Amino acid sequence: MARPLSEQKREAILAAATELVATQGVGAPTAKIAQSAGLAEGTLFKYFATKDELLNQLYLAIKADLADAMLKAYPAEASVVERARHVWGCVIDWGAKYPLKRRAMRQLTVSDRVTAETRKIGAAAFHEVSAMLDQCASEGLVAIDAAGAFAGAIFDALAETTLEFIAREPKKKEHYKSAGFKALWNGVAG
């Protein structure tokens, strides 16, 4: 009879994969991931049948963590600008607190090893944010040229820049967070 899998070991594998994907990319060897988790490589494959399954589960775990941080106190009844400011602040706070998760997510986001189905599942966790963006577009609150994927790319670029400056000067976190949001809102608001 097979032993039940341990959630603690699964979490150790995901934590080790986060660090190694962040520092070495999606090509990080599974042997190193297992070693970092304190397990044999064969044990890793009891939890994740393939490396692609591990990478897809890591993508979903990090997305779920970010969604939890963003939506914990999401002000659904607030104005669009206040909801946007909330989302921005949560992304910056989460990124500053978990730089390895942010870097791993950046690697996974551009990897073709993360499937379209996994991306769809990951995006579903952000339905409140998607609804806000749809409202922005339908009410003309986002400049037409900045709608959709382009607005998302601007958001990501500004968030990365803001987080890089916070990493350099942690004491000025709130200053950079506020300045980043002003640049975002002034850049994409219609």
Side-chain angles (χ1 to χ4, degrees), residues 23-103:
T23 57
Q24 299 180 15
V26 296
T30 52
K32 266 191 154 176
I33 293 170
Q35 181 182 27
S36 182
L39 304 168
E41 187 175 17
T43 304
L44 181 148
F45 289 113
K46 290 180 181 173
Y47 288 80
F48 304 96
T50 65
K51 184 173 181 183
D52 283 354
E53 181 182 333
L54 169 60
L55 294 174
N56 279 270
Q57 291 301 311
L58 178 61
Y59 176 89
L60 290 175
I62 295 173
K63 280 281 191 184
D65 190 56
L66 176 58
D68 284 349
M70 285 174 59
L71 301 173
K72 187 181 286 183
Y74 184 74
E77 303 302 320
S79 68
V80 171
V81 66
E82 288 307 314
R83 283 181 281 160
R85 188 186 319 274
H86 172 85
V87 168
W88 173 263
C90 290
V91 168
I92 298 302
D93 289 344
W94 181 87
K97 187 174 181 179
Y98 304 109
L100 289 176
K101 287 182 180 179
R102 178 174 56 90
R103 288 169 50 196

Side-chain angles (χ1 to χ4, degrees), residues 81-147:
V81 66
E82 288 307 314
R83 283 181 281 160
R85 188 186 319 274
H86 172 85
V87 168
W88 173 263
C90 290
V91 168
I92 298 302
D93 289 344
W94 181 87
K97 187 174 181 179
Y98 304 109
L100 289 176
K101 287 182 180 179
R102 178 174 56 90
R103 288 169 50 196
M105 178 54 66
R106 201 168 50 211
Q107 296 283 342
L108 293 165
T109 297
V110 298
S111 173
D112 60 2
R113 298 180 84 164
V114 175
T115 68
E117 180 65 22
T118 296
R119 292 177 196 280
K120 186 177 175 182
I121 293 168
F126 298 89
H127 64 277
E128 295 273 1
V129 176
S130 296
M132 177 189 67
L133 294 174
D134 290 345
Q135 181 183 0
C136 286
S138 70
E139 294 179 6
L141 297 172
V142 176
I144 292 171
D145 290 345

Side-chain angles (χ1 to χ4, degrees), residues 141-165:
L141 297 172
V142 176
I144 292 171
D145 290 345
F150 187 57
I154 291 170
F155 184 100
D156 290 344
L158 275 172
E160 283 300 317
T161 301
T162 301
L163 287 164
E164 285 176 23
F165 276 80

Side-chain angles (χ1 to χ4, degrees), residues 85 88 158 175-188:
R85 188 186 319 274
W88 173 263
L158 275 172
H175 165 75
Y176 288 125
K177 187 163 72 171
S178 176
F181 181 75
K182 285 179 188 170
L184 174 71
W185 193 253
N186 291 336
V188 299

